[in-house]
Every structure is written in structure tokens, then in C-alpha cells.
Amino acid sequence: MRASLLSAVVGAAVTHALPTIEAVGNKFFTSKGDQFFLKGIAYQLTPADPLIDTEQCKRDAALMEKLGANSIRVYHVDPSANHDGCMEVFDKAGIYPLIDLDTFDTYILPNDPWWNQTQHDRYAEVMDAFIKYDNVLGFFVGNEIIIQADQSQAAPYIKAATRDMKAYRDKKKYRKVPIGYSAADIAELRPMLQDYLTCGGNSSENVDFFALNSYEWCDPTKYAESGYANLQIMAKDFPVPIFFSETGCNVPGPRLFGDQNAIFGPEMVNDWSGALIYEWIEEENHYGLISYGPKLEPTATGENIEGGFTRAGTPTPVLPDFTNLQSQWATITPTGIKRSDYDAKHVSTRACPTSGVQGWLINGNVALPTIGQTFTTNAPKPTATEEAEVSQPAGSASPISTKNPAPMNKELTGMSAGLVGVMLFFTFWL
């Protein structure tokens, strides 16, 4: 947005509304028919809700606009709060929020998954609170729920949540805001999970988009060396839009954001819909693009201070990361394809993965749990050989959360064949 429009960002009374976004095939399109690519930021200033302080949103949105951002991701919100001010600010700045539907006490657990009425209703409350804003780009039903193969029994619950939230959206006659999932970039899980969430041929159950939290590209590196070439192979003609919901490795630093040229370049731009950089505020993990003041003692207290960091005020760029990203995005202007020229028939149809592949537990297109069902297992005891394979897997690495990425690709191998025999049973949880 040009500088002449900055007054709109800081509160001038103008009439403005961004075009809405829809998912068609493996692309996002605006209601004006233009393809949409995300150039966004993870934005969670406070644990509870960063979208209730309008004045803070004005300060942040103005700087995001200078950075070149067009989208943000917010992980936790309070559906009972008033978000009108912040949502209007971001709308005027040309920024589309993506909102996570789960809350601290309603997310789906990986080892003991369930999907019940309480979760459904809390997710629905978040949707109700944000559906009225035209600049809402999408909703996430979960974030990194599964980070290792023996947690893949939670995958049907992710899909069940998707099914029920899409049904709720449609029953309420809401705009068809895309609903999807944000996955950890775990090599042994990635192909099975992304295929499972889009397989079976029933669009009412499948995610509308699939997003990946990936820290494989650590500057300085190149496309072929970073791991992105492998990601692209699995994303080719993907059935729904796929994008990076977190990226921006900070090892060894500073961050050069060279991956943005790859994501928006000829190797990937036809299949990927952009990226969200982790993250806006500087915290202990040193991923921040801005700060609101110097680091404080972890025990420090005061207004807008939490965890040793000030979380409100005038945003100051963290250099050189901020300007490095700004420079990258300034040269990236993908145009894509017009909605009227796009034929979604060319996208692939993914088969449902079978159990046993890299330790994946779900065998094909299993029936999804209904509301009120929880998970139990009946796994046969592994043989002595299988136990040895588990205790000393060849070439294995411990799965990690992508919040603490190592510099290079995390490949997990050597899962025991004993996991293949796990049988799924759903029992009612009241």
C-alpha cells in the first residue's frame, strides 16, 4: 500500500474492504479473480489475544505494511473479546489474518486424542467471532498435533474436526472461509499426513488447505541443498493450496530469507501459495522481526511485560533480519493465474496411505470418529527383534518441535514394524 494510504492505517475514516479469499483447486483466489500468495508473519504478542488492542494493532500494521506483509497468523484469540478495531486496522493495511480455532484447553491431544462437544462448541465460538470480517483468510483446526509416527492415530480426529467445522460453517450459511491444518515438518510423517488429510474423495471431510511449519532452509544455502526440492516433489499438483505456515530458520544467522526467492520462484510458485515468517515479536528464541524494548529479567514485572520481554509499544525492527526480509519481499511480485483461466482438474487425487509405511498407523480411508468418541489401542507386544529395532533404530533422530529447529532437514527412520499391528477402536467419551 502506498504512503498516501498510511493515514487509513492509523485511523482515518475511509470506506475500505479487502476482497474475500477462496480456495479453488490448489490455489487461493480473491473475489476479484486474482490469485493470492501469502507474504505473512506469525503474530502473537500475548498468549491470550493480540487482536484486542486497537492502538497497538495500528502501530504494528503500519510497520507490517512497510515490510511488505499481506497476512498474519494468530494462534490464540479470545472469542468473547471485541476485535472490530484491530480487524479494521489490518483490513485497511491490506492484511489478511488466519486464525487458529483451538484454544489452550481444547486442542486435540496427540497421544490421547478425542473430539467432543466441548471442543466443537469452543471452536465454533472462535469462528462465530471472526467470520464477519471479510479479511479473514482461513481457520486452522490444529497446529503440530502430530510430531511422530506413533501419534498418527490422532489424524482421524484432525479430519473429524475439519468435517464438523466445515459442516457448522455451511449450516450457519457463513462465507466458505477455507479451513485447514498446520503440520510439523517431520520427514517420515509429511507425505502420509498431507495425503491423508486430502484423500478419500469427500470434500466435506478434507482440509481446504494444508500448511507446513518448516525450518529446513537455513541461510546460506541453495534450493537443491535445503530440502525444499523434496518438499516440492510432494507438493506437485497437490489437491488443495499448500503453503508454509511457519518458516525462517535462524541458524547460524542472520536470516537472509533466501527461501522466499525459491518459494515464489519458478521451482515452486506453481504449487505453493506463499509463506508466513516466524515471528513478529522478539522473544527468547530470537526469531523476532521487531522488538518493543530491550530484554528484561525473566522475573521482571510491569505493564505489558511478560516472560522478560515488553509486548506492546512502538515496534522497532530487529536488524538486519527485518530489512533482509523487506528487501526480499520488495522484489517478489508473483501474478499467478486468473481465476477465469484456471482449470482445477489438473490437480492430483491423493490415495489414502496404508498403515506400516514409515510407522504410519492409519490404514486407508478409515471411518472418522463422531463427536464424543475417543481413542484406544490394542497393540500386540513386539518381538525381541522388533524391540531391538526400536531401541537402536538405524540413522534415526529424535522428533522435534519446529519451534526449536536444527539447521538441516530432520529425517526420521527406523520405526518398528511392531507399530504396524496397532488396531483402532473408538469409544464414547462423555
Side-chain angles (χ1 to χ4, degrees):
M1 190 177 290
R2 298 293 185 261
S4 62
L5 294 182
L6 275 177
S7 59
V9 176
V10 295
V14 297
T15 301
H16 185 281
L18 288 175
T20 57
I21 303 291
E22 65 175 338
V24 180
N26 67 349
K27 304 186 186 305
F28 291 120
F29 291 97
T30 73
S31 53
K32 293 182 177 180
D34 299 316
Q35 188 176 350
F36 182 81
F37 297 89
L38 291 90
K39 293 195 285 186
I41 308 160
Y43 183 68
Q44 191 77 39
L45 306 188
T46 63
D49 192 337
L51 298 178
I52 57 178
D53 185 341
T54 302
E55 294 305 311
Q56 187 59 52
C57 288
K58 288 178 182 179
R59 292 188 286 267
D60 291 337
L63 190 56
M64 288 181 190
E65 189 178 9
K66 293 178 181 179
L67 179 63
N70 65 11
S71 48
I72 57 175
R73 179 187 181 179
V74 181
Y75 298 83
H76 295 287
V77 294
D78 177 2
S80 67
N82 187 327
H83 303 95
D84 291 351
C86 281
M87 292 301 290
E88 182 181 8
V89 165
F90 284 116
D91 183 276
K92 290 176 179 178
I95 293 173
Y96 290 88
L98 294 107
I99 309 294
D100 284 56
L101 294 176
D102 60 348
T103 59
F104 290 112
D105 57 354
T106 61
Y107 55 82
I108 297 169
L109 299 175
N111 297 313
D112 186 23
W114 64 76
W115 175 242
N116 61 32
Q117 193 65 50
T118 299
Q119 290 169 300
H120 175 280
D121 293 348
R122 294 290 295 278
Y123 281 42
E125 287 174 2
V126 175
M127 183 182 291
D128 291 340
F130 283 89
I131 198 71
K132 62 183 177 180
Y133 305 115
D134 285 346
N135 60 328
V136 168
L137 170 56
F139 294 115
F140 290 100
V141 296
N143 177 66
E144 296 189 356
I145 294 170
I146 302 171
I147 62 171
Q148 57 194 49
D150 61 359
Q151 295 173 341
S152 55
Q153 71 270 5
Y157 292 86
I158 298 171
K159 208 163 182 175
T162 303
R163 173 201 63 201
D164 292 341
M165 287 299 97
K166 293 174 77 169
Y168 179 81
R169 177 197 65 189
D170 296 346
K171 180 180 179 180
K172 299 280 285 188
K173 301 188 184 304
Y174 287 154
R175 175 169 65 92
K176 289 188 178 294
V177 175
I179 297 174
Y181 177 71
S182 176
D185 183 13
I186 307 300
E188 68 169 352
L189 284 171
R190 189 192 315 118
M192 280 73 72
L193 182 58
Q194 69 182 45
D195 287 357
Y196 175 75
L197 293 179
T198 56
C199 77
N202 188 344
S203 61
S204 68
E205 297 178 347
N206 291 344
V207 293
D208 294 323
F209 63 82
F210 182 83
L212 194 64
N213 296 343
S214 177
Y215 295 82
E216 295 192 26
W217 186 297
C218 295
D219 296 309
T221 190
K222 298 178 181 178
Y223 172 73
E225 301 167 355
S226 66
Y228 274 33
N230 290 331
L231 296 181
Q232 169 56 24
I233 290 172
M234 288 177 283
K236 180 68 175 175
D237 293 330
F238 198 63
V240 298
I242 185 170
F243 61 92
F244 293 90
S245 44
E246 288 179 12
T247 189
C249 172
N250 64 358
V251 178
R255 296 191 288 179
L256 306 177
F257 300 103
D259 65 326
Q260 299 301 291
N261 283 321
I263 294 168
F264 294 99
E267 297 94 344
M268 302 177 72
V269 73
N270 290 328
D271 296 293
W272 294 81
S273 291
L276 296 161
I277 305 300
Y278 190 83
E279 62 176 322
W280 181 246
I281 183 173
E282 175 73 351
E283 298 182 281
E284 191 65 35
N285 57 17
H286 300 300
Y287 280 93
L289 293 170
I290 66 91
S291 70
Y292 299 107
K295 181 181 177 182
L296 305 171
E297 291 297 323
T299 57
T301 60
E303 185 178 7
N304 300 317
I305 295 174
E306 188 171 347
F309 291 88
T310 303
R311 299 181 178 273
T314 301
T316 301
V318 172
L319 301 177
D321 288 18
F322 184 96
T323 51
N324 286 346
L325 179 59
Q326 185 181 43
S327 298
Q328 292 284 4
W329 277 352
T331 64
I332 294 171
T333 56
T335 55
I337 188 172
K338 291 288 186 180
R339 172 71 177 86
S340 57
D341 297 328
Y342 177 63
D343 182 4
K345 294 180 182 178
H346 80 278
V347 301
S348 62
T349 300
R350 299 297 171 111
C352 294
T354 57
S355 61
V357 179
Q358 294 279 25
W360 180 259
L361 302 178
I362 308 302
N363 190 26
N365 190 26
V366 299
L368 301 182
T370 58
I371 293 177
Q373 290 184 315
T374 189
F375 173 81
T376 60
T377 63
N378 180 19
K381 183 177 180 180
T383 65
T385 301
E386 291 167 346
E387 286 179 336
E389 290 173 352
V390 172
S391 62
Q392 297 179 345
S396 68
S398 299
I400 60 167
S401 166
T402 55
K403 296 297 188 303
N404 299 289
M408 296 303 292
N409 186 18
K410 289 297 172 188
E411 299 289 337
L412 300 179
T413 59
M415 293 300 294
S416 166
L419 293 175
V420 177
V422 173
M423 304 298 293
L424 302 184
F425 294 93
F426 298 119
T427 57
F428 283 98
W429 186 83
L430 300 178

